[in-house]
């Protein structure tokens, strides 16, 4: 039995009208585990935040009334988010997910004061005892897209609409190009930077400019379906971003990489319930089910679908990682030898392009 | 470069220029009457969501454009009521209108995310736009031709009509206009309403022509470029047309150059170009003391008639 102090009584009675205040509530299942989510955008953005919300729904379905969740939408990155995170912490949440890169410092700052609460920060790189980070291996999905593009493209040129030259985006471009060149050794990826995550008009213009330069398939690391629509109008092909965007371009939409955060959320919540939550970094992909491809367009022939699945399966069982050598960098110099592959550390600071990328 | 690429570039420039030209034409009239409405972005978004929603329900783009004008005009009149009748601060109210427009449009558009409509495309017979050369002339949405027509109309209105003269008088010297019997507030209300209608058409060009879909903040800050454009053009419709196409070219040319393998300057620099150009023009205006190129003397000054 823990020693009762005035402060502890105050702390716990602030929670609920519990009869057994000092004994770990989850073990008894009386009190649900309180889980908080901080979202960058609105749930209805049908993109990043939407995917996290789906993950939360999966967790609710899995745990039922064993958890009580709280969400806060439209939280601007920066000081405002610190206030929101602190509020959640004060409200007695046991586990708080902060789902955007810009919440990194605020999460760490709040976590310092609330040492008993577990925090998980998406896409960040700074951790502490009670702050873990998590991300998904989107580049694995890009490799599957690359395989499809390599088969489907007649011109052998893909356009790639990119946002900002950070490792996350660069590794996507490289994984896509490597996979496509395995199919068609002359394949080229033309990259256009639009300096925005979301600017439909500019993304559409970029798609048109790429198409004019011979690209007949467009991939994107920006959030709007504008490029897909441009391809639909011209009878070409494109990949969706973050969710199934086929309703915008039923003919052009080949497939998309969908984020399934629920897998991770369920595991983390379970960890906190069982008292064996560990910090550190989680970087999951196809294997763990955090990303998956949305249904293939029926215009993709069966053998190409099989090839795409083979790329995915090779990544899952480790027989053919996305960044397995041999391959050269943009200048034609060998970067990774046969039999070798890039490790996570290399990927996290990737600032160079593979052969076949034009940017 | 072959013909097809040049034609495609011309057409993307037109696409980038048209909405900012429309919105800027409206704002030009508003500012000429002495009102500064910084809510262009908000009104464009309200126009964009209304145009899309109405078109997807009725299937008739004409009605969509019309309703976009009405909805954006209502938002503009709200701004008018606050600033003209209640004499609130125009800058603060305009910014509030932008924020209001962003919020309202995302709320109203929630049910339309993920849907598409047919592009409000050329009204000319398909055969006419088939040849690549004729496509440059006939291949656009009616809204594009409307923007040219309105540029002409605004220029003519300001220069050649009595009403245009009154509008300018209200903007240059509200007190004098009032003392000879013109209703300053009435004229400004009309100007603000016109500004709203034009922003509405500009906004729905995004959701109905350029990217036929609705998503939150679809215009992605183009309303601010329209505002900058008015200053860049030194409140002259002719220069506004020129400026809109210059801004449009700057916004799209880099993409084409990059895609073709030329790298001119950093894309971030080009994204900043419209604003840099505007600052340069502002500096030039204040250096040169000629009368014609100045901001309306009563810009952003509230007017209250003394009884």
């Amino acid at each position: 039995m823990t020693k009762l102090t005035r402060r502890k009584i105050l702390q716990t009675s602030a929670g609920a009208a519990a009869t057994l205040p000092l004994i770990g509530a989850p073990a008894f299942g009386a009190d649900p585990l309180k889980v908080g989510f901080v979202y960058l955008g609105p749930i209805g953005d049908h993109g990043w935040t939407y995917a996290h919300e789906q993950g939360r729904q999966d967790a609710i379905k899995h745990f039922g009334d064993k958890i009580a969740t709280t969400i806060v939408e439209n939280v601007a990155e920066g000081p405002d988010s610190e206030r929101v995170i602190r509020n959640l912490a004060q409200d007695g949440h046991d586990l708080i997910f902060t789902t955007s890169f810009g919440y990194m410092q605020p999460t760490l700052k709040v976590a310092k004061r609330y040492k008993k609460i577990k925090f998980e920060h998406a896409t960040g790189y700074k951790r502490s005892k009670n702050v873990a980070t998590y991300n998904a291996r989107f580049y694995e999905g890009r490799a599957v897209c690359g395989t499809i593009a390599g088969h489907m493209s007649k011109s052998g040129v893909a356009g790639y609409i990119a946002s900002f030259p950070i490792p996350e985006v660069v590794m996507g471009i490289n994984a896509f190009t490597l996979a496509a060149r395995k199919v068609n050794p002359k394949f080229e990826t033309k990259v256009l930077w639009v300096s925005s995550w979301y600017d439909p008009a500019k993304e559409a213009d970029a798609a048109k400019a790429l198409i004019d330069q011979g690209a007949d398939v467009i991939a994107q690391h920006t959030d709007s379906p504008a490029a897909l629509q441009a391809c639909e109008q011209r009878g070409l092909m494109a990949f969706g971003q973050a969710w199934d965007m086929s309703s915008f371009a039923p003919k052009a939409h080949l497939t998309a990489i969908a984020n399934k955060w629920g897998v991770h959320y369920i595991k983390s919540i379970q960890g906190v319930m069982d008292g064996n939550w560990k910090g550190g970094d989680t970087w999951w992909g196809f294997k763990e089910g955090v990303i998956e491809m949305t249904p293939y367009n029926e215009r993709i022939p069966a053998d190409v679908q099989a090839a795409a699945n083979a790329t995915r399966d090779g990544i899952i069982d480790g027989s053919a990682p996305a960044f397995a050598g041999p391959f050269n960098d943009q200048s034609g110099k060998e970067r990774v030898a046969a039999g070798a592959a890039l490790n996570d550390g290399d990927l996290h600071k990737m600032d160079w392009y593979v052969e076949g990328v034009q940017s | 470069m072959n013909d097809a690429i040049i034609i495609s570039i011309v057409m993307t420039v037109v696409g980038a220029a048209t909405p900012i030209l429309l919105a800027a034409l409206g704002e030009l009239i508003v500012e000429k009457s002495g009102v500064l409405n910084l809510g262009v972005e908000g009104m464009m978004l309200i126009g964009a969501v209304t145009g899309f929603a109405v078109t997807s329900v009725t299937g008739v783009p004409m009605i969509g454009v019309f309703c976009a004008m009405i909805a954006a005009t209502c938002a503009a009149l709200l701004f008018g009521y606050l600033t003209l009748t209640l004499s609130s601060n125009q800058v603060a109210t305009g910014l509030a209108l932008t924020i209001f427009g962003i919020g309202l449009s995302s709320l109203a558009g929630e049910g339309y995310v993920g849907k598409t409509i047919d592009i409000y495309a050329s009204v000319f017979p398909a055969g006419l736009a088939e040849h690549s050369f004729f496509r440059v002339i006939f291949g656009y949405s009616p809204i594009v031709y409307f923007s040219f027509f309105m540029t002409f109309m605004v220029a003519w209105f300001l220069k050649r009509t009595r009403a245009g003269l009154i509008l300018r008088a209200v903007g240059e010297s509200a007190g004098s206009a009032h003392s000879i019997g013109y209703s300053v507030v009435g004229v400004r209300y009309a100007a603000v309403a016109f500004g709203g209608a034009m922003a509405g058409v500009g906004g729905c060009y995004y959701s109905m022509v350029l990217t036929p879909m609705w998503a939150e903040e679809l215009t992605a800050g183009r309303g601010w470029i329209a505002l900058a454009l008015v200053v860049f053009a030194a409140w002259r419709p002719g220069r506004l047309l020129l400026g809109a196409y210059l801004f449009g070219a700057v916004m799209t040319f880099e993409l084409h150059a990059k895609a073709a393998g030329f790298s001119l300057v950093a894309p971030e620099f080009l994204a900043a170009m419209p604003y840099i150009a505007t600052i340069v023009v502002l500096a030039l205006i204040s250096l040169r003391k000629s009368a014609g190129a100045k901001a309306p003397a009563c810009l952003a000054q509230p007017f209250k008639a003394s009884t």
Side-chain angles (χ1 to χ4, degrees), chain A residues 46 192 198-199 212 229 233 247, chain B residues 8 113-114 119 212 215-216 258:
Chain A
H46 283 278
L192 266 192
Y198 179 80
D199 185 338
D212 289 338
Q229 289 186 326
Q233 285 159 28
S247 66
Chain B
S8 169
V113 174
I119 296 184
E216 275 180 37
K258 268 265 167 68

Side-chain angles (χ1 to χ4, degrees), chain A residues 230-270:
Chain A
C231 291
E232 182 86 359
Q233 285 159 28
R234 303 224 190 168
L236 301 173
M237 300 166 287
F239 297 100
Q241 165 82 355
W243 59 292
D244 192 330
M245 291 180 170
S246 53
S247 66
F248 288 101
K251 287 199 211 83
H253 186 276
L254 294 175
T255 180
I257 307 160
N259 312 347
K260 299 277 168 185
W261 296 111
V263 183
H264 175 73
Y265 289 153
I266 289 168
K267 185 207 150 233
S268 286
I269 293 169
Q270 192 67 53

Side-chain angles (χ1 to χ4, degrees), chain A residues 147-159:
Chain A
T147 304
I148 297 172
H151 282 284
M152 298 293 285
S153 171
K154 289 194 183 74
S155 63
V157 180

Side-chain angles (χ1 to χ4, degrees), chain B residues 87-98:
Chain B
S87 297
S88 70
N89 182 302
Q90 293 180 4
V91 173
T93 313
L95 291 173
L97 178 60
T98 287

Side-chain angles (χ1 to χ4, degrees), chain A residues 42 44-46 74 164-165 190-195 198-202 204-206 208-210 212-213 224-226 229 233-234 243 247-250 358-359, chain B residues 1 4-5 8-9 12 16 110 113-116 119 206 209-220 222 251-252 254-256 258-261 267-268 271:
Chain A
D45 73 347
H46 283 278
N74 280 321
F164 297 99
K190 283 179 191 276
V191 182
L192 266 192
W193 300 96
V194 293
S195 308
Y198 179 80
D199 185 338
K202 201 168 182 185
D205 286 348
K208 287 173 196 161
L210 288 163
D212 289 338
Q213 293 299 327
S224 95
Q229 289 186 326
Q233 285 159 28
R234 303 224 190 168
W243 59 292
S247 66
F248 288 101
Q358 284 184 18
S359 80
Chain B
M1 274 207 261
I5 293 181
S8 169
I9 291 176
T12 29
E110 208 172 35
V113 174
K115 288 186 180 158
T116 49
I119 296 184
Y206 286 106
V209 183
L210 222 47
T211 53
M213 59 168 193
W214 168 251
E216 275 180 37
E217 290 183 55
L218 186 73
T219 53
R222 297 296 191 286
M251 285 192 281
T252 55
E254 171 68 5
L255 294 173
H256 285 277
K258 268 265 167 68
E268 292 83 358

Side-chain angles (χ1 to χ4, degrees), chain A residues 128-331:
Chain A
S128 70
K129 242 183 164 165
N130 58 337
V131 179
T133 51
Y134 63 104
N135 200 353
R137 294 178 185 268
F138 299 111
Y139 71 87
E140 295 182 351
R142 305 261 174 210
V144 175
C145 293
T147 304
I148 297 172
H151 282 284
M152 298 293 285
S153 171
K154 289 194 183 74
S155 63
V157 180
Y160 202 109
I161 302 168
S163 48
F164 297 99
I166 55 172
E168 171 83 33
V169 178
V170 173
M171 72 176 95
I173 295 168
N174 285 342
F176 176 83
T177 310
L178 277 178
R181 279 172 82 88
K182 264 179 208 153
V183 180
N184 172 3
K186 291 207 178 105
F187 195 89
E188 279 182 358
T189 306
K190 283 179 191 276
V191 182
L192 266 192
W193 300 96
V194 293
S195 308
S196 171
W197 289 109
Y198 179 80
D199 185 338
K202 201 168 182 185
E203 291 167 43
D205 286 348
K208 287 173 196 161
L210 288 163
I211 293 166
D212 289 338
Q213 293 299 327
D216 61 358
V217 55
I218 302 279
Q220 63 178 52
H221 205 137
T222 49
D223 291 337
S224 95
L228 279 156
Q229 289 186 326
C231 291
E232 182 86 359
Q233 285 159 28
R234 303 224 190 168
L236 301 173
M237 300 166 287
F239 297 100
Q241 165 82 355
W243 59 292
D244 192 330
M245 291 180 170
S246 53
S247 66
F248 288 101
K251 287 199 211 83
H253 186 276
L254 294 175
T255 180
I257 307 160
N259 312 347
K260 299 277 168 185
W261 296 111
V263 183
H264 175 73
Y265 289 153
I266 289 168
K267 185 207 150 233
S268 286
I269 293 169
Q270 192 67 53
V272 174
M273 280 180 174
D274 301 345
N276 59 9
W277 182 88
K278 278 196 263 328
D281 183 44
T282 312
W283 201 22
W284 281 356
F286 276 131
K287 194 172 156 190
E288 297 84 358
V290 166
I291 59 166
E292 65 182 39
M293 306 309 292
T294 64
Y296 296 132
N297 192 313
E298 56 189 24
R299 76 187 280 180
I300 306 177
D303 59 324
V304 178
Q305 295 197 12
N309 288 336
T311 302
R312 188 195 59 201
D313 297 342
I315 290 169
I316 291 175
D317 64 23
S319 63
F323 287 101
F327 59 87
N328 302 338
D329 67 11
Q330 216 175 5
S331 64

